[in-house]
Amino acid sequence: MRIPVPRPRSLAGQLFAMQAVLIAVLFSGYAVFTYLSDRDQAEDAAGRQAAAVAQAIADAPSTREAIRTDDPTADLQPYALRVQRDAEVDFVTIMDPRGIRWTHPDDRQIGRPFRGHTERALHGEPFTETYTGTLGPSVRAVVPIYDGGTGRNDIVGLVSAGIRVEEISKRVQEQLTALIGGAAGALTLGAVGTYVINARLRRHTHGMNAAELSRMHDYHQAALHAVREGLLMLDGQFRVALINDGGRELLGVGDVVGRSVAELGLPAPLTGALLASEPRVDEVHLTAERVLVVNTSPVSGGERRGTVVTLRDVTELQSVMGELDSERGFTQALRSQAHEAANRLHTVVSLIELGRAEEAVEFATAELELAQALTDQVVAAVSEPVLAALLLGKTAQANERGVELVVSEDSRLDDGLLSEALPARDLVTVLGNLIDNAVDAAQGSVGARVTVTAYARDGELVLRVTDTGTGVDPAHAEAVFRRGFSTKPAGPGGRGLGLALVRQVVTRHRGELAVTRAEGGGAVFEVRLRLADGGSGDPGAGTVPAQGGSAEDAVAVRGDV
């Protein structure tokens, strides 16, 4: 049966238990080694001490003089007890060569034979041994006493001094006690240190223990991989400390942890937003393929520790909003046209009431022919349904703003021309924004007109929009394609995004985008896109200037740059 052993759950408890076990093992092993080693050393020291005391007594002249008297015990017994006390030995026994004691700590043992070996001493060889005598086991030394000479026959007595083994053990135990005290002190210091470290650690981990931190790490990793939005964490030096899968996908980067934001090759406005010290809220930024909403929030705790960045992909949303704006404009145009149709209908009814039926029929027929002619012209030139619907809607919208929108005679786009590599939504983004920009530029000008040309040639789709506005300042020819640039006051939704979206689509499909000066003033925007494969544009192809401009005036944005 397995007996459950309670284990400390906190990190501090586990650390203290580990320290206790480690100290116990180390000190137990050291105690055993010390006990055995110190016992041997203590016995050797006791033997040397006993030999020194015995040799000093044997060499003392008073000892030899007392032996020559008729009663050696009378002089030797007090002397032996005094030496025993001063030298801190347990006994001093002086005996004759036969081993009969003259002195002993126990007076009753005087006159009795010495318990131990004396043969080596009688041969003139001092020695030390461990022997059990009347006082118990002891380490003793036996030294011969000479009567003024060094010959063997001059030995007149023997001296034995000894220390009991029990006393030696007490000395070793005192050392062990000191060792145990040191172990207890080390364990106490370890406990105090563990408590201090644990308190500091809990402050840094907001009171969470190791198990909770492990769970938080698991949840953290799961959340990072599950969240589709991009999450980017920068340290105080604006290096990438953490990035999730969504962030890598939205920014188009790989493993960039540890690299500076400035080294990631992101567009300059986006890099500036990530490096900014102040927070950013719902800022729209464009990359080569996406429209991103960026939010940044500094992380501070008494000092700047970094920045948390969230990224949302609104590419599809922006495209849908563009289509919605076109539909809204088309709806407004239809409402206006309905108002105009009502006026014309009232005119026809009034003519009939005045008895002018022929003039009424002639007026109504002319209006129908004009509307049908516009539809026929657009559909004949551009039979691709999505672009045809866009052009019809933009035509009515432009008319509402006093701008004539016409499709040039050079236009020709057959139905089914587009491929999966070049979706109609991208063309709506390109052509819709170019027309809106052109209508804004032409509005208010003399003979305000926007001319749209769309045709396919040699596997390329060419979209050209010409306006009668003031044209593009050469100093701004490159800047007009940057997000946020506009020469007009910003509205509630901001300006400068339309041409930036056009540039993004062109870049994504590796196409070409150019702006030139039109004949007679105004601007010409021309886009060239590959029909067969939007991603296989020829990087070396030159930019063809728009019709009505010159190559010197052209400013091109090429998708492979």
Side-chain angles (χ1 to χ4, degrees):
M1 179 178 178
R2 183 177 180 181
I3 300 176
V5 179
R7 294 183 298 174
R9 298 180 61 184
S10 68
L11 181 61
Q14 295 179 25
L15 182 60
F16 179 74
M18 181 188 70
Q19 289 180 344
V21 172
L22 182 61
I23 292 175
V25 171
L26 290 178
F27 275 90
S28 297
Y30 184 67
V32 172
F33 172 78
T34 300
Y35 178 79
L36 298 177
S37 176
D38 288 357
R39 184 179 179 84
D40 293 339
Q41 293 178 3
E43 290 181 355
D44 292 340
R48 289 191 299 270
Q49 181 182 356
V53 172
Q55 189 66 53
I57 294 174
D59 293 340
S62 59
T63 303
R64 292 193 292 271
E65 291 176 0
I67 291 175
R68 294 190 188 103
T69 64
D70 295 335
D71 187 9
T73 301
D75 294 329
L76 295 177
Q77 177 68 1
Y79 173 66
L81 293 176
R82 186 170 60 253
V83 172
Q84 174 184 322
R85 182 180 62 254
D86 294 341
E88 296 183 350
V89 293
D90 290 325
F91 67 90
V92 173
T93 299
I94 305 174
M95 67 197 87
D96 62 17
R98 296 173 300 169
I100 301 302
R101 301 186 184 99
W102 286 324
T103 65
H104 194 276
D106 186 359
D107 294 340
R108 293 173 298 179
Q109 301 297 327
I110 297 175
R112 293 183 180 183
F114 175 74
R115 290 187 180 182
H117 302 95
T118 60
E119 291 82 3
R120 293 169 60 186
L122 291 174
H123 288 82
E125 180 186 353
F127 68 93
T128 302
E129 68 175 354
T130 301
Y131 193 86
T132 303
T134 57
L135 299 179
S138 62
V139 176
R140 59 182 63 182
V142 181
V143 177
I145 303 174
Y146 295 98
D147 187 14
T150 58
R152 182 182 305 171
N153 296 326
D154 294 332
I155 296 176
V156 295
L158 302 172
V159 179
S160 177
I163 300 174
R164 290 181 299 170
V165 174
E166 180 181 352
E167 293 298 326
I168 298 175
S169 298
K170 287 182 180 179
R171 297 180 185 179
V172 175
Q173 288 175 0
E174 290 176 357
Q175 296 178 356
L176 288 177
T177 302
L179 184 63
I180 293 174
L187 190 60
T188 302
L189 289 177
V192 173
T194 301
Y195 175 79
V196 173
I197 294 174
N198 180 65
R200 182 179 179 85
L201 184 62
R202 280 189 172 272
R203 283 198 302 269
H204 285 288
T205 59
H206 302 287
M208 290 186 291
N209 57 30
E212 292 171 336
L213 287 174
S214 177
R215 286 195 297 270
M216 286 295 295
H217 177 267
D218 294 339
Y219 295 152
H220 171 266
Q221 291 296 321
L224 283 180
H225 291 288
V227 173
R228 294 184 61 84
E229 286 76 13
L231 179 63
L232 191 67
M233 295 186 182
L234 310 178
D235 62 15
Q237 285 70 44
F238 296 100
R239 294 189 299 262
V240 179
L242 183 146
I243 184 171
N244 68 343
D245 298 340
R248 290 190 183 93
E249 181 180 355
L250 294 180
L251 295 179
V253 296
D255 186 7
V256 294
V257 174
R259 295 175 57 186
S260 173
V261 171
E263 301 174 357
L264 302 185
L266 301 177
L270 179 56
T271 301
L274 298 181
L275 293 176
S277 57
E278 67 277 2
R280 302 295 180 96
V281 179
D282 291 339
E283 283 195 359
V284 179
H285 290 271
L286 283 86
T287 64
E289 298 183 357
R290 300 179 185 274
V291 181
L292 302 178
V293 173
V294 178
N295 287 271
T296 66
S297 177
V299 179
S300 59
E303 61 181 7
R304 180 179 178 84
R305 297 184 177 179
T307 306
V308 177
V309 181
T310 59
L311 308 169
R312 294 200 312 273
D313 185 9
V314 293
T315 306
E316 296 294 328
L317 178 61
Q318 192 66 44
S319 177
V320 172
M321 289 179 62
E323 294 180 16
L324 179 60
D325 289 341
S326 298
E327 295 297 332
R328 186 180 293 114
F330 188 47
T331 301
Q332 293 175 354
L334 289 178
R335 185 180 297 112
S336 178
Q337 292 295 325
H339 187 272
E340 288 296 319
N343 290 336
R344 296 186 183 100
L345 183 59
H346 285 304
T347 301
V348 172
V349 171
S350 298
L351 289 173
I352 293 175
E353 289 177 349
L354 293 174
R356 297 179 177 272
E358 292 182 2
E359 289 86 343
V361 172
E362 185 176 334
F363 179 80
T365 303
E367 289 296 325
L368 288 175
E369 289 178 351
L370 181 62
Q372 188 61 41
L374 176 62
T375 303
D376 291 342
Q377 178 190 6
V378 172
V379 173
V382 181
S383 57
E384 207 290 321
V386 175
L387 293 184
L390 175 67
L391 289 173
L392 287 174
K394 292 297 182 182
T395 299
Q397 195 174 353
N399 288 337
E400 279 296 309
R401 299 176 61 180
V403 178
E404 181 184 7
L405 191 149
V406 297
V407 179
S408 69
E409 297 179 355
D410 298 334
S411 298
R412 181 66 182 177
L413 286 180
D414 296 330
D415 189 9
L417 183 68
L418 303 182
S419 63
E420 294 182 358
L422 188 61
R425 173 172 290 180
D426 286 350
L427 295 185
V428 169
T429 298
V430 172
L431 193 56
N433 282 292
L434 289 180
I435 292 175
D436 289 341
N437 187 70
V439 171
D440 286 341
Q443 188 175 8
S445 64
V446 178
R449 172 181 289 189
V450 173
T451 304
V452 178
T453 304
Y455 62 88
R457 181 183 299 168
D458 299 330
E460 264 189 341
L461 175 64
V462 179
L463 301 176
R464 185 183 301 121
V465 179
T466 307
D467 63 68
T468 58
T470 58
V472 177
D473 188 346
H476 299 156
E478 174 65 23
V480 294
F481 298 107
R482 297 175 186 168
R483 192 264 167 187
F485 178 86
S486 179
T487 58
K488 297 186 178 183
R495 284 188 176 274
L497 185 60
L499 290 181
L501 290 173
V502 172
R503 180 179 190 175
Q504 183 190 65
V505 173
V506 172
T507 302
R508 185 164 65 247
H509 291 284
R510 299 178 64 83
E512 298 173 2
L513 171 61
V515 55
T516 60
R517 192 167 54 245
E519 294 181 359
V524 180
F525 287 84
E526 182 177 277
V527 173
R528 291 176 176 269
L529 300 173
R530 291 281 182 179
L531 285 172
D533 185 358
S536 60
D538 182 7
T543 301
V544 179
Q547 203 172 43
S550 62
E552 291 78 6
D553 297 331
V555 174
V557 178
R558 298 171 55 183
D560 57 326
V561 177

